[in-house]
Each structure stands twice: as structure tokens, then as C-alpha cells.
Amino acid sequence: MKKSVKILWYAFGAGVAVFLLLLLLINLRLIGHMPSMEDLENPRTSLASEVIAEDGTLMGKYLSVDRSNVDYKDISKNVINALLATEDRNFYDHSGIDAKATAAVPFYLLIGKKRGSSTITQQLALNLQQDSEGKTRSRNAFVRGFQKLTEWVISIKLERNLTKKEIITLYLNTVPFGDNVYGIENGSRTFFSKDPARLSIEEAATLVGMLKGSTQYNPRRNPQMARDRRNTVINNMVDEGYITAAEGEAAKSRPIVLRYNKIDHNKGLAPYFREVLRAELKTWCKEHKKADGTEYNLYRDGLKIYTTINPRMQLYAEEAVAKHLKDLQKAFQQQANIKTGKIWKDPLALKDLPVFVRESDRYRQMKEDEATDKEIETAFNTPTKMQVFAWKSFTEPDLNVTDTVMTPLDSIKYSRAILQTGFMAMDPESGEVKAWVGGPDFRYFKNDHVSKTLRQVGSTFKPFLYCFALMNGFNPNTMLPNEPITIGNWTLTTNSEGSVGGSISMAGALAKSLNLVSAYLIKQFGAKAFANFANTKIGFQSNKIEPYPSIALGTSTLSLFDMLRAYTMFPARGVITTPIYVTRIEDRNGNILETNVPEKKEVISEIDAYTMVKMMEGVTTTGGTGARLRFRYNIPGEVAGKTGTTNSNTDGWFIGYTPQLLAGAWVGCDNNYLRFNSTALGQGANTGLPIWALFMQKVYADKTLGIDPNSKFPIPANMQNDLYFNYDSNVQPGAEAEDYGNGAASDYETIDLRDYGEPTEPAKETPKDQPKDQPKDNKDKEKKKDEPVPGNNAKAVMPAKPKNN
């Protein structure tokens, strides 16, 4: 044998040896990345975590790639046939590598043609590497060659450990379809809005055709190229005998009809809720470990988060918010100071405007592009074509946008003057949150106003003060003075609507929201004792209640979420139930990782809770601040609640409840100087209450929800007498107007606590100027009027502290 031939054989042998050695080292996981047998048998492809509503509806996803898994039986045969005919005709005959196709590659390269040789199993091997390591097909010939070797080894292992059905299913669950959509289920739902089991021949061919180039053959971007590629796939199906020639011609004659519906975190059900939940889940993932000790990844681990959100209630809530704000915004924009832009000459506005500019995306981008301050100023004052949010429809959110020309600076002013809102509905007994709307439109306004924003609560805080009065010997018919009152160096001369003088029952004062009476009560008990009750018994979580007398008028800043939590004590018979919105979290395999139950705490007696319910029903009756709930919106049945309006109509509130449902609404602008000039428009009865009413109209009309307008608040078993309320008074007419001014907590910060009712000596059990028959509980049904409870030294008696607190 010639020396040259011998050298050639040695070189060939060495090459084969190196090749086999590389395969061995890869298989032994000594070089490269070779998944373990466990990983191959249970592939951990990147899966989006899903947020699921109460009834199983998919609300949205948290994803790095949009993928969901589907079983073989749930995939249309048209998809399987199209895939095999186009990507791997010998799929059932090879063991992971198609030797004949691989051997033919060099010959095709020699004649200048490109021919793919990768089997479905090899493509799956590459997909699994991309998922586990984020690797993509390398353009470097040497690196790509090494990748190919790894794919071969993985392919053989897959074929040995998985059935052909399992391989083809796993492949279809990992392939990309463009637009960051992965897997046949998401591809089918995104492009055709249907389950993969229902895909027609032409729809299946369109999706399979995209596998050659998910961007090039994307029917949304390149419809003609996508159609040509689809027809090629259909021809392949005919050639392989999966369909007849007639079926193929019929399928090719039909156009591609897209029903594109990609899940977008800006859209979908309850986007504000999902964004709040996202932040909490990211923390949860850091605090919980998988079996291998690593943290859960919200975007890749395929968690299933089961929530309490009721899809129908959520839609009704979003519609109620949009319907009311659409009309309210028109009135707001017609105000002279808003319409002319005069409001932006306000000192606070002048101070804030530069901050708003610096926070804008345009400013940040120009700074990154190294624009000068002068260039930025010029750009922000140059009229520009843009799209801005504008109310056009309360049923089609996508229509709420308008094309306009304005300066970027004016667009900032415009967006700041859009009314914001927060609305939440929950079951007061179970604590389950049923609906959550954090603002007018999540696409344009990201701030959540349910749990993330603190606002002055106004008169919605008064029920807690009146409840405290019940706990300390007062009853609904206790007559209280509606007179000017001095606390320390502050004097309150009239109610917010101007009335003063006379006396009124405690029930009547709450219904009419009289500030003078609330100030009188806080003076009797002392702000320190009442604040202690609010902080230790009710336990507000979003803020501490400071011991200033102004808290009687609602100057504390709290979240809507926190207020609703506190209000559960009334319909839930004295028990505060912390709202819950996640019932359980599962991993991708259905294993339960966490379950949640509501925290409950008894804070007042069942009798006091029921008494407060009946008193707060007076708010919705004739003469009450929320009476329009009945005469304008025709809300039937037993409904209790409280309106609230803060100083200068800055915040409008309404929190109301039935025996089965508790809900609350807040309306205002993010900046306090942007507010209604008219109390008729800006009061809580006109801003928050209509959202609540429109929501309840829909809820009552939907019988499938089981919310009965004829349901009754349960009377405590140990209650000996029915309640009788005396709403009569000799207060000046007009007292039924909404409370719309409460001052600020800072107005009272310099007052000595001893000056406004914090007793310096023990109170007598029965003061001389209190009648002996002064009612002390609910047994005094016959009593119609009482003398005012005496002055500044009335001692507030705190209830006994439970041992477990």
C-alpha cells in the first residue's frame, strides 16, 4: 500500500476516532451541555406563568416567551400531517437522525443548493438547548458543527426514552411562530383564536409553513408570502397522501383569514390587578425554592396562579368605570381653569411641571441621545403628531384613543388632567376580591389606585368614629348638638354645606354627614383614644392614624383596599376579613405550592356591627348623602354605605355594601390642584357613587352571579329588640348636602392633646347634666330624643383587648 494511501487511511481513522470520542465525551456530559436523562424524560421548556380567574378563564400571562403546553390528543391531525409532510417525511422510520438525508447534504452543497437534513427530533434537540441555555443556532461553522454533534446525541437519547407521539408533541410545544409566540396552542390561539384541535387544513398549513421562517412567513406581516408558503405545505400533504387533490385545491383557494388575538399585558382582563399581582409574585418567587434549591422564575417556570376574580364582575366594573368617567371627564374639561390652561399657573403646578417633563419617555430618550437642554426645551414646545388617550367608548377600550397635534408639553398637561379612579368589589365574609379596576386605562396610566395610592378618605372614615361611639354607650337615637365647637385653638363654626344649630340623632348625623357632630364626638372621646382604636383594633395597614381631631372628618390618607378591608367589619358581623385574591399557586405539573385563606379578626360585637349597618342604610335613604343611589339609579334592597368628599372637592368616595357584596370607588386626579370647582360635580355622591351604582345594576341583572337584591342583613340572635331610628331633628334645612371639606391633619398638629378632650381626670359614670334615663344600649326603642351627651371630660372606654392580639 502506498504511503500516501496509508496516511489517508490513518487520517480517516483518526477523524473517526476523534468523532466517536467527541460523541462519547458529549454523552458523558464531560464537554458541552448534555441534559440529564431526567431532563430528557421530563423536558423543562420555558413556560409562561398563567393568571387564572375564579371560573378558570385565562386572565393573562407573565412570560419571557409566550408558550403553553398541549397534549397530543388536543392537536388537530391536520397539524401533524402538515408537519410530517413538510419537515420530516421519514419521521417514523429513523431513530433520530436521517442518515440518507444527512449523507446527501455535501452533494447538495457541491451543486450550490441548500438542503435541510435535520429531523424533527434534531430540531427538538436544538429547541431544548435554546430553552435551557438560551443558545441559538450559531453562524460560526466550527461552533455550529459542535452544536450538531450535541443535537445528534440528544436526538438519539430522545428517541430511546420517548415515544414518537411524545417527541412530536414536545416539538410542537416548543416551536416559535413569531411575535414572541411559542408552541402550537399559543400559535393557534394567537393567529386564529381557536384551540389547536380545531384547526382546518389551510390554518394548520399556515402555521406549519411559518416554521421555515416565523418572520418571513408571518401572515400578519407578509400575507402573500405566507399564502404561497401555505400552499406549498398543502401540496406536500397531497403528495404524501394525507389529503386528496380535491381537498388540497379547495384549501389553497381559500384566503388566510386571521383572527389575531395576542395576549398583551396592557390588555386583557384586570390589567391593573395583574400588574399588582406580578410585583407580589416576583417577591414570592424569591422567597420560595424549587426541589433543586433554585428560586422559581415567574417568566419561565409555568406557574399557575388561581385568583378570586370573577370575570363577569370584572367586566361590569370596567364598564361602570368607563361609562361614568366618560361623561364626568367632559364636565371636568369644561371647567374654565382646565379648558384655558390657567390651572398650570398655580404655584404647585409650576413646581411639578418640570418634574413631569423629566419623568417622560421622550425626555429620557433625548437625554440618552445626548441632546442639549435647549434642544429638549425646543422639542417639548414644538407641535407634534401623536396619539393620546380620549374617552370615546365605554364598551370598546381600543377606541379610546385619538390622533392629534400638540406639543409634548401640552400632552403632559392633558394627561395629568385625566380623572383617575380606583374600584374594588369583594365578598365581605370570605374576603375574596371579585373585581379590581386601578385606573381609567392601563395602556396610558400605570398607577394603581386600589392598593398602591393613598388618598384622604373624607367622610368615609366617619362610620368608624360612630362605631366607637356605640361601643362607649351612645346609641343611634342619642341626640347630639349641631353647634359650633372649639377644639384647642381651632373652632368649627358650621357644617361644610353651611348649616348650623339645633340637635340631631346620631343616626341622622351620620346619614347627613354633619361635620359639627363628628367634631363633637371626637371631642367627647379624645382623638388619642379613637386613634388607638383605629390603629390597634381595626389595624389599618396602609398608614398609621395620627391622633389629631381632624381624623373625625377624614383627613387620614389610606388606600381603597385598606378602607374596604376595614369596612368588612360591618356586613361581616363585627369581623374584619383581610381581602384575598390568590387562592392557590401550582407548578407546571399541577403540584400545589401554596394555598391562601383569609385572615379574620373580631373587632366589634355582632350587635354593634348590625346597628352600624342599619345606621349606614340611612345614608342611602331620603335626606342621606347617598340618596341618589335609590332615586336616580333605582338600586333596590338593603344597601348601606358612606359617601366622602375631601377639601375643595379633591377626592370623591363611595363605599357601599349589601349582605353579599362590598365595593368601593374613589375618583380624583393624581395632583390635588387638579379638582372640580363645583361641589355638585366633585362630591363623592357624584363621582364615586355612580360607579358603584352602575356596577351593581349589572350585577343584579346577571342572575348567574347569585347576588340577590332581596337578601337581608342577618339580625343577631342575641338582639332582643328591633332597631328604631329617629332621624328627626331641628337642624337647619340643607344639611343633607354632601360633606365636602375636612381641612388637613397638619392644621391640628400643634394642638395640645389636653385641649381637645383628652381627659385629665376620670369621668363620672352619670354626669349631672345627663338624664337618668339616658339610653345606654339598643333596648331603648321607645326613646325618641335625648339630651346631648356632656362635654369635654367624657371618658372613652376601650373594649377589652383579646388575649391573642
Side-chain angles (χ1 to χ4, degrees), residues 34 78 185 201 204 206 250 329 366 369 378 403 428 485 530 718 742 782:
M34 171 58 59
N78 293 323
E185 181 177 29
I201 293 172
T206 300
Q329 186 69 45
M366 292 189 74
D369 295 339
T378 300
D403 294 304
I485 192 164
F530 176 51
N718 58 345
N742 55 3
E782 309 299 329

Side-chain angles (χ1 to χ4, degrees), residues 763-782:
K764 299 176 182 178
E765 292 184 2
T766 307
K768 294 178 182 179
D769 52 352
Q770 177 178 312
K772 292 181 179 179
D773 59 350
Q774 170 73 29
K776 297 193 181 289
D777 54 30
N778 298 311
K779 297 180 182 179
D780 293 272
K781 177 181 177 181
E782 309 299 329

Side-chain angles (χ1 to χ4, degrees), residues 177-179 210 212-219 221-222 225:
F177 288 101
D179 295 354
M210 293 172 67
K212 187 176 182 180
S214 57
T215 299
Q216 185 177 8
Y217 299 113
N218 187 320
R221 298 184 178 187
N222 302 306
M225 294 184 69

Side-chain angles (χ1 to χ4, degrees), residues 26 29 31-35 39 129 132-133 135 146 150 154:
I26 291 171
R29 304 171 71 186
I31 60 174
H33 176 80
M34 171 58 59
D39 288 337
Q129 288 187 89
S132 61
E133 302 177 75
K135 289 183 177 179
F146 188 80
T150 305
I154 294 175

